[in-house]
Amino acid sequence: MTRPQPHSQPEPRSGSRSGAAAPPPAAALPGAVLSLRGISKNFGGVRALSDVSLDVRPHEVLAVVGDNGAGKSTLAGVIAGAYRPDAGQLLLDGRPVVLGSPAVARSLGIAAVFQDLALCHNLDVVENLFLAHEPTRGGFLDEVAMERKAWELLGQLGTSVPSVRLPVRELSGGQRQVVAVARALLGSPRVVVLDEPTAALGIRQTAEVLNLVERLRERGHAVVLISHQAADLQAVADRFVVLRLGRVGGELDAASVGYEDLLAAMTGASRPGGRKPR
Amino acid sequence: MTPVPAPPSSRAPYPAASAFDSDAPFARLPRLLRRLPDRELGMLPIIGALVLIWAVFGIINPAFLSAENLVNLTLQSAPTGVIALGVVLVLLAGQIDLSVGSVSGLAASVVAVTTVLWEWPIGLGIVLALSVGVVVGLTYGLLATRLGLPSFVLTLAGLMVLAGVQLRVLGSRGSINLPFESWLVDFAQQGFLSPAAAWSLVAAVIAVVAAVQLLERSRRARAELPRASLARVLLRVGGLAALLGGTVAYLGTARGIGYPVVLFLSLVAIVDVLLRRTRWGRSVRAVGGDRRSAMLAGVAVRRVTVSCFVACSTFAALGGVLAAGRLAAANQGTGGAETYLTAIAAAVIGGTSLFGGRGSAWSALTGVLVITSISSGLTLLNLDTASRYIVTGLVLVLALTADTLLRAPRSR
Ligand SMILES: Nc1ncnc2c1ncn2[C@@H]1O[C@H](COP(=O)(O)OP(=O)(O)O)[C@@H](O)[C@H]1O
Ligand SMILES: [Mg+2]
């Protein structure tokens, strides 16, 4: 039976297309893997994103911070192909792309760990890791290859999942988080989006995830790290983009920014360098 | 793509295979139980229930366990079982199809009308009947995925529409008898495996299962993955051999294994392999478990959902064709309320969840055996239809309770 989930159904809706004829967006920043130009997204009457532009480079952690409801998860959805923007463009290596579905985004090298992890709780760890990308052997699933690769991946992430044949339902929150991250890393994506990866975690696990983010950067991934807890990200972020009420409320360099500046930009209390909040 | 260099592995990435093949049998038992996959553990309660039902009816009336009665029971089960197999698929995908009875009735009527009134060759009539199933499933699938119509009410509407179409197709006559010499009737009523064929089939099945299990085991060993112990593989194959051999031997003392039964069992086995060993099967379970997560992972949710609706309606049509052959007739009552209630109840009683994502093809077999056994047993006791409905309904409540309790850890 279909379970109605009107709010969380991320299938692309045809919103107002009027914005599609917006002025030609600016060119991508040189060296950027992924650039967003003038992205807007409405949900009915709610304007979740409005004219958002940003760039991510390889070997870089871009932290996107903002208060609850600022549009961070919507942004993650747009980058990961779960939402189609109503206006604006996505550029991959400077070329415009249309991410019609998460599968398309993935095939272009963009992987996401969604805020709710988007795991199927009735499937086991291996099944979740390879869902929709299973290797086959003579038309049948190659369980041996999958299981080997699963142990390898989870070993790299340094976790202690008791068995890769355990349904995800039976894992702890931290273990699920790792499974979701491992899945995102599976095809060696160039861009990894992590939406609130530490929200459900304790202090030690948070440190582990941030550690992982640093390793991703070292490997050359471009990481978009989303959080409403700006303080957590200061250790790992290279740059900050502050979202406020669906708009970019400022772009700040991690080296020079203080926590108060971030907080001010998130709440709109003052106007630090970068774009003006409206 | 940025290649991801594998970091130096500081520790053994997977548990040593020997941990699984440990020699202490008692220390191993609890772990073995825990590691039993859902599929095997999930079958235990329903098989227990079946044994209990048979024991009770057998004690009350030994005729129930006679080979002849059991042969009848299997023949009776086959058409409904095929329909239930389709229901298992839609349930797994998180949908439901209430109209399987109407589809089967319509398919039976199509076969009867085309062959008797229009004098088509019966093969052509069957193809048309199955095509009706495909079209119905496609319609449901597209309406459910494109417009997002809830399948519960959508297929309820389909149930009424198709029941009406069935009446129209049958016309004023209301009932059409199939000629006894048609091969469909012969297949459904008189077709039985010869003992030689039955035993060769059993031998072939056991050989294939054993070969697959052993091959898989050695592949896992080579990949240094935990694997089932040899004893366990032998136990599994031996158990299967005993079950199949015992069935063939006992039923063979009467008429044996009917062709429709062979067809049903083959379909169950094929669907089981598709569900467990192919990407399609995995995506069906993913879609049924969590539609949104499956979509975000890249599963073609709509296509998978449509495929399940199509498979369900086609199996329903096939079930109707088999029923027409078995009764050598199609009438206004063919595929009535009892058919779909029984088929859906069978899928759930067999252990396929109404909530989607959990179940197995074998639940169509076990579920339909439970329901048919109850109805056959009560009939032997000269109890009427009323008590049959009541008992079957109560068993369904039991199955539903088990289903809901199994789901509980997640939803509360
Ligand atoms: N699927 C949706 N349907 C309708 N409104 C939505 C949907 N997703 C998000 N919104 C709305 O868009 C705004 C931004 O939400 P979100 O991106 O989840 O914010 P954040 O992740 O920063 O907390 C909120 O007002 C929220 O209610
Ligand atoms: Mg969010």
Side-chain angles (χ1 to χ4, degrees):
Chain A
M1 266 144 279
T2 47
R3 284 151 293 243
Q5 302 175 306
H7 191 79
S8 60
Q9 204 81 316
E11 294 196 26
R13 297 263 164 94
S14 56
S16 81
R17 291 264 155 199
S18 56
L29 192 78
V33 198
L34 179 76
S35 309
L36 274 60
R37 288 293 173 265
I39 295 284
S40 296
K41 175 75 193 171
N42 299 327
F43 292 108
V46 181
R47 177 142 257 220
L49 289 178
S50 172
D51 194 22
V52 170
S53 299
L54 52 84
D55 301 88
V56 217
R57 285 169 293 217
H59 284 289
E60 181 182 63
V61 176
L62 175 71
V64 175
V65 295
D67 207 354
N68 280 333
K72 305 182 299 293
S73 294
T74 310
L75 182 70
V78 167
I79 297 177
Y83 297 129
R84 193 119 22 125
D86 297 323
Q89 258 189 339
L90 280 111
L91 308 170
L92 203 61
D93 295 320
R95 278 184 297 277
V97 286
V98 176
L99 306 178
S101 70
V104 171
R106 237 198 122 103
S107 67
L108 291 173
I110 304 172
V113 177
F114 294 97
Q115 185 162 6
D116 62 358
L117 303 184
L119 297 169
C120 289
H121 289 201
N122 59 326
L123 302 187
D124 67 30
V125 174
V126 175
E127 291 172 328
N128 265 291
L129 283 178
F130 292 89
L131 186 58
H133 303 92
E134 297 93 348
T136 55
R137 205 164 163 267
F140 294 107
L141 296 172
D142 190 348
E143 299 285 357
V144 172
M146 286 194 268
E147 211 167 310
R148 255 202 98 107
K149 180 84 183 150
W151 281 116
E152 201 180 301
L153 257 175
L154 295 175
Q156 285 175 21
L157 297 181
T159 81
S160 50
V161 173
S163 157
V164 290
R165 286 299 175 186
L166 220 53
V168 161
R169 188 191 314 127
E170 289 173 26
L171 299 182
S172 72
Q175 290 168 335
R176 287 179 200 180
Q177 188 89 51
V178 174
V179 171
V181 172
R183 176 173 69 178
L185 298 184
L186 203 59
S188 305
R190 304 171 63 201
V191 181
V192 180
V193 183
L194 301 165
D195 190 1
E196 309 267 10
T198 59
L201 302 185
I203 295 172
R204 202 179 59 82
Q205 285 174 317
T206 298
E208 268 177 26
V209 167
L210 296 180
N211 218 324
L212 172 71
V213 168
E214 288 193 323
R215 269 185 284 160
L216 292 180
R217 172 173 54 196
E218 280 161 28
R219 292 169 169 198
H221 297 284
V223 183
V224 179
L225 184 56
I226 295 176
S227 179
H228 70 276
Q229 291 156 326
D232 279 354
L233 307 187
Q234 273 188 302
V236 291
D238 295 307
R239 278 189 304 134
F240 279 96
V241 164
V242 180
L243 273 188
R244 205 167 70 81
L245 305 175
R247 294 175 178 277
V248 175
E251 247 188 271
L252 307 159
D253 188 36
S256 58
V257 72
Y259 181 59
E260 279 73 25
D261 302 331
L262 276 176
L263 215 61
M266 279 166 71
T267 55
S270 79
R271 296 169 187 193
R275 277 168 224 219
K276 282 184 175 180
R278 260 183 266 164
Chain B
M1 297 277 143
T2 317
V4 176
S9 60
S10 48
R11 52 170 151 154
Y14 15 84
S18 61
F20 214 66
D21 279 340
S22 128
D23 281 329
F26 290 113
R28 203 166 59 193
L29 195 63
R31 184 165 18 163
L32 228 151
L33 273 181
R34 234 185 308 129
R35 296 252 174 156
L36 264 178
D38 262 2
R39 183 165 64 93
E40 291 174 6
L41 204 61
M43 297 282 275
L44 283 184
I46 183 68
I47 289 175
L50 201 53
V51 168
L52 187 72
I53 290 167
W54 286 8
V56 169
F57 282 128
I59 290 167
I60 300 177
N61 185 349
F64 177 82
L65 289 179
S66 71
E68 190 48 45
N69 189 53
L70 292 186
V71 167
N72 271 334
L73 205 143
T74 59
L75 287 176
Q76 225 176 345
S77 301
T80 317
V82 171
I83 303 176
L85 184 58
V87 174
V88 166
L89 286 176
V90 277
L91 287 182
L92 271 180
Q95 307 281 341
I96 195 161
D97 186 348
L98 298 177
S99 74
V100 284
S102 298
V103 174
S104 75
L106 178 57
S109 311
V110 165
V111 169
V113 168
T114 52
T115 54
V116 176
L117 300 188
W118 303 356
E119 297 178 351
W120 285 16
I122 197 155
L124 210 57
I126 293 175
V127 169
L128 183 65
L130 296 185
S131 316
V132 168
V134 172
V135 170
V136 169
L138 213 53
T139 310
Y140 290 155
L142 292 178
L143 288 175
T145 55
R146 296 283 153 179
L147 300 183
L149 302 188
S151 56
F152 188 87
V153 183
L154 172 64
T155 58
L156 187 60
L159 180 157
M160 293 194 263
V161 170
L162 295 171
V165 175
Q166 178 185 354
L167 294 186
R168 271 286 144 75
V169 167
L170 286 170
S172 53
R173 308 173 51 148
S175 171
I176 298 175
N177 291 329
L178 288 173
F180 272 95
E181 56 282 4
S182 88
W183 65 257
L184 177 62
V185 176
D186 196 53
F187 173 91
Q189 291 187 349
Q190 322 284 333
F192 288 90
L193 286 181
S194 70
W199 285 110
S200 331
L201 198 61
V202 169
V205 167
I206 292 169
V208 168
V209 169
V212 167
Q213 299 262 334
L214 289 175
L215 266 178
E216 197 163 271
R217 190 172 174 277
S218 75
R219 266 199 88 208
R220 294 181 69 91
R222 254 180 291 134
E224 294 172 51
L225 290 171
R227 61 190 189 276
S229 67
L230 204 56
R232 186 144 166 234
V233 171
L234 289 178
L235 202 71
R236 208 184 269 164
V237 174
L240 181 71
L243 186 68
L244 289 180
T247 309
V248 166
Y250 189 57
L251 296 186
T253 62
R255 281 173 294 164
I257 316 276
Y259 286 158
V261 180
V262 177
L263 177 65
F264 171 45
L265 293 180
S266 317
L267 288 175
V268 170
I270 291 170
V271 170
D272 180 54
V273 170
L274 289 178
L275 283 176
R276 286 189 303 111
R277 307 254 175 181
T278 68
R279 300 181 66 172
W280 173 78
R282 188 144 298 173
S283 51
V284 169
R285 282 173 54 232
V287 168
D290 192 330
R291 205 179 123 80
R292 180 175 165 274
S293 294
M295 206 272 292
L296 291 176
V299 173
V301 172
R302 286 177 175 167
R303 204 167 345 128
V304 168
T305 309
V306 171
S307 73
C308 287
F309 274 115
V310 170
C312 176
S313 298
T314 311
F315 278 137
L318 180 60
V321 171
L322 290 177
R326 189 175 140 66
L327 304 172
N331 57 41
Q332 295 180 341
T334 311
E338 198 169 340
T339 311
Y340 80 85
L341 290 176
T342 311
I344 295 172
V348 176
I349 289 173
T352 293
S353 175
L354 274 169
F355 306 108
R358 184 161 47 75
S360 112
W362 294 102
S363 55
L365 174 65
T366 49
V368 83
L369 280 181
V370 165
I371 291 194
T372 320
S373 299
I374 290 174
S375 100
S376 155
L378 294 179
T379 310
L380 275 183
L381 293 180
N382 285 328
L383 285 172
D384 55 355
T385 313
S387 46
R388 225 174 66 218
Y389 279 163
I390 293 171
V391 172
T392 310
L394 292 178
V395 172
L396 182 57
V397 170
L398 270 180
L400 194 60
T401 311
D403 183 16
T404 308
L405 289 181
L406 273 177
R407 180 177 178 255
R410 179 155 56 109
S411 59
R412 269 175 227 159

